[in-house]
Amino acid sequence: MTARLEADILQVLRAAMALVSADGLSALTLRPLAERLGTTVSILSYKFGRKDDLVAAIIDAAREEDSAFLDLWLARIRAVRSMTPAIMAEFADSILDDMARGHAIRGQFYCELLQGAASRPEIAAPLGLWRAQRLAFWRAATERLERPDLAETLHAYSADEVVHGLALGDQAAYRWLRRLGLKRLCGGLVAAEGDTDGELFTVFHAALGDLLMTPDGRYQAAPMSEWQARIAGHISALIIDEGADAVTHRAVAKRAGVASSTLAYHFPRQDDLLRSGLDDVIIRLQGHVDRPASPVSTSEPNRSREEIARATFAVALAATRNASLRGIAADMRRRRGENLYVYLKREGGGATPFDLLSAQVMSITSIGQLMLTAGEVGGAGADFELIGRMRTAALAAGPKPPREYRTTV
């Protein structure tokens, strides 16, 4: 890329990320991008080629900026002479906070790409390079701890956690849960004897639920007619597949097989469509969390697991633009791992070395892995495989006294 085009793509990147931040990935089209840049579609096409080529160039430019960000953090990590799991957890917490708050617009762009990857194959290749870059960073960051799986688990954990940091990062209770989760993840999942993190987790798990502000601690959906409820199911499916920004009267009418005029009569505004679809997503999610846990098995249809992951991810992304959804995003985040914990206790005959904090860490990691591998050939079951390795390694190691780790010279 010439110096002139390189300068041009940085301007385009700023405009593109601003569009996506305001209106979602579906807003990244040539006309609004040209208008924001004060140019024409013809000039954009002349400089960068087809729309798919331009989008790939934008993602590559974002990845290059992210590379500089990650290099800065890696230099800080390597400047620490002695590395321990506790120090790594502190670094990871600061990095995720910086992604979500210090560089929020790029963090949101990355999350929007993850949400849209399954339905937009044209972004698969450039996004794949960005994902690989972040995984390489975590491998370099954790190399002195001599735990090969830690990089992969931090990569997956961060994919789900950053989107919640975007929506909830100003909440102290959320930041406490993230810090405790990363400490447990880096420390090996099984709590050490005398560990008080479980008590702290209970306090801030409850505190984050205060954002929902309902008498029974559950989301209250707006009343709908039977016809509206049926359409809401189609809208929620659209949100899960393509993200909240894909919800338009035209898209919903086509998916539900109804006339646009009829749809507009029952849902006059686009916000009405989005709210009813999110209501349906949220009620379904609450039902999933509340129903009795079933054994985790790779024979379970992957589509169901992916739907749950994508739905919770979509709610958190929508909450970055709609403050009224922050309460439910907080509730979904704090309740991560509840079903898994019940299952782990049943599996152990009523006892398990993993507490609810450990189960939450595994759940977040699983959802992050699902988002990272959505739509990939051979990606089915990658989340179970990763969680299985986490559990096996944790049980083999058990709680151990502090040990010396490699230092830099």
Side-chain angles (χ1 to χ4, degrees), residues 238-320:
L238 183 61
I239 292 170
I240 290 168
D241 287 343
E242 301 182 38
D245 56 285
V247 176
T248 64
H249 280 85
R250 179 180 294 182
V252 173
K254 181 179 179 181
R255 191 177 190 109
V258 299
S260 295
S261 57
T262 304
L263 183 68
Y265 174 79
H266 290 278
F267 298 97
R269 301 173 304 152
Q270 185 177 3
D271 281 353
D272 299 327
L273 289 173
L274 182 59
R275 170 62 70 177
S276 65
L278 287 171
D279 279 352
D280 190 76
V281 168
I282 292 162
I283 296 304
R284 290 173 186 270
L285 286 173
Q286 286 188 153
H288 172 78
V289 172
D290 290 340
R291 70 172 174 258
S294 56
V296 178
S297 166
T298 52
S299 65
E300 178 185 350
N302 187 64
R303 177 62 174 163
S304 174
R305 299 198 310 278
E306 186 176 331
E307 281 183 347
I308 295 162
R310 293 176 64 77
T312 57
F313 202 87
V315 169
L317 262 181
T320 65

Side-chain angles (χ1 to χ4, degrees), residues 102-146:
H103 301 271
I105 194 167
R106 189 172 65 240
Q108 186 171 2
F109 185 53
Y110 182 76
C111 291
E112 291 280 0
L113 291 171
L114 290 181
Q115 179 71 34
S119 60
R120 299 187 61 167
E122 72 273 13
I123 69 176
L127 177 59
L129 293 175
W130 198 350
R131 289 198 312 261
Q133 176 177 280
R134 287 198 167 184
L135 177 57
F137 163 76
W138 289 115
R139 284 176 174 155
T142 60
E143 61 186 355
R144 283 185 284 164
L145 293 178
E146 300 175 348

Side-chain angles (χ1 to χ4, degrees), residues 131-269:
R131 289 198 312 261
Q133 176 177 280
R134 287 198 167 184
L135 177 57
F137 163 76
W138 289 115
R139 284 176 174 155
T142 60
E143 61 186 355
R144 283 185 284 164
L145 293 178
E146 300 175 348
R147 286 175 51 193
D149 288 339
L150 182 57
E152 192 174 351
T153 54
L154 278 169
H155 182 225
Y157 184 96
S158 66
D160 185 47
E161 194 70 282
V162 166
V163 72
H164 290 92
L166 289 164
L168 305 168
D170 62 338
Q171 297 295 310
Y174 162 74
R175 296 195 303 274
W176 264 99
L177 289 184
R178 182 181 63 200
R179 187 179 304 123
L180 291 167
L182 286 164
K183 182 180 177 183
R184 183 62 60 83
L185 189 158
C186 293
L189 286 184
V190 178
E193 186 175 348
D195 190 322
T196 61
D197 286 350
E199 184 178 348
L200 289 168
F201 174 79
T202 299
V203 170
F204 292 107
H205 177 274
L208 192 58
D210 293 343
L211 271 184
L212 200 54
M213 293 187 299
T214 58
D216 59 356
R218 294 178 59 81
Y219 180 76
Q220 303 297 318
M224 286 186 282
S225 68
E226 185 177 342
W227 191 91
Q228 287 175 318
R230 180 174 68 82
I231 299 300
H234 292 287
I235 301 171
S236 67
L238 183 61
I239 292 170
I240 290 168
D241 287 343
E242 301 182 38
D245 56 285
V247 176
T248 64
H249 280 85
R250 179 180 294 182
V252 173
K254 181 179 179 181
R255 191 177 190 109
V258 299
S260 295
S261 57
T262 304
L263 183 68
Y265 174 79
H266 290 278
F267 298 97
R269 301 173 304 152

Side-chain angles (χ1 to χ4, degrees), residues 1 6 9-14 17 54-67 106 109 126 130:
M1 187 179 290
E6 188 172 349
I9 195 60
L10 291 178
Q11 289 184 327
V12 175
L13 173 63
R14 297 285 173 272
M17 291 197 300
L54 175 57
V55 171
I58 290 169
I59 296 172
D60 285 344
R63 175 175 57 82
E64 287 296 324
E65 285 200 344
D66 199 50
S67 177
R106 189 172 65 240
F109 185 53
W130 198 350

